[in-house]
Amino acid sequence: MKQTLFIVGARGAGKTTIGKLLSDALSYKFIDTDESIQAISKMTIADLVEQYGWEHFRQLESQTLKAVSQSERVISTGGGMVLSLENRQYMQQNGIVIYLQASAEVLGKRLSLNPENSQRPSLTGKSIIEEMEEVLVEREPLYRECASFIVDANLATEDIVFRVKSYVLNQKNRPI
């Protein structure tokens, strides 16, 4: 049985990087929901949020999640995808949910090195580390709730890909 993999985690956790490597390792197609939203709307996420608000963006995110979900796909989700109970349930029911877990400090350092401000609007206007601490307080329980498998995002990318691929292949071999 071919799986759909959903990668969740905060921004800066490495969802896109790991997703691309994992899709290569499994010979699956890679989809990034944020990139899909930007391609369809022809706007950056920052512009979408500024023009239409977060609620509109979250609706687009949910629609995109369902539209791109197919077997043999690795889907990197936006950091806030888990805020919707419907999205969490959808991912759990339709694939394997991989949570790339990282501390606020690690996320802050990564985002400082590669801020991509136009794509990653500040949620609070605070420093990156303060913002990530607040975001994780809210989202960590949600990431854990829907996760099939949790992996430490501080590991080397090869190790993360190896662990996730091993987990996925073990799931395929389990009797139903």
Side-chain angles (χ1 to χ4, degrees), residues 33-45:
T33 58
D34 284 349
E35 288 177 9
S36 296
I37 290 168
Q38 291 178 107
I40 292 164
S41 68
K42 297 185 180 15
M43 297 174 80
T44 65
I45 290 170

Side-chain angles (χ1 to χ4, degrees), residues 16-141:
T16 300
T17 301
I18 296 300
K20 287 178 179 174
L21 293 169
L22 197 53
S23 67
D24 288 346
L26 293 167
S27 298
Y28 282 14
K29 183 175 180 180
F30 174 75
I31 302 283
D32 181 302
T33 58
D34 284 349
E35 288 177 9
S36 296
I37 290 168
Q38 291 178 107
I40 292 164
S41 68
K42 297 185 180 15
M43 297 174 80
T44 65
I45 290 170
D47 289 343
L48 269 169
V49 170
E50 186 178 324
Q51 196 163 340
Y52 300 106
W54 279 107
E55 189 176 328
H56 176 76
F57 173 72
R58 295 293 178 213
Q59 289 173 343
L60 283 176
E61 199 172 45
S62 296
Q63 292 166 4
T64 302
L65 176 67
K66 291 178 180 84
V68 300
S69 295
Q70 292 180 25
S71 65
E72 294 191 47
R73 286 196 171 172
V74 175
I75 300 170
S76 170
T77 65
M81 185 69 77
V82 297
L83 293 173
S84 159
L85 173 61
E86 184 183 333
N87 290 346
R88 293 193 306 275
Q89 291 172 339
Y90 181 85
M91 290 186 290
Q92 286 175 303
Q93 293 164 4
N94 292 282
I96 295 174
V97 183
I98 308 299
Y99 170 31
L100 289 183
Q101 184 181 40
S103 68
E105 187 174 276
V106 167
L107 296 169
K109 284 180 185 169
R110 288 181 182 174
L111 291 170
S112 296
L113 293 172
N114 187 16
E116 298 178 38
N117 290 330
S118 66
Q119 291 181 22
R120 297 178 174 168
S122 171
L123 300 172
T124 61
K126 298 183 178 181
S127 79
I128 292 175
I129 291 179
E130 285 177 315
E131 181 176 304
M132 295 319 297
E133 285 171 351
E134 285 185 19
V135 165
L136 286 177
V137 164
E138 178 186 17
R139 295 180 185 175
E140 176 81 15

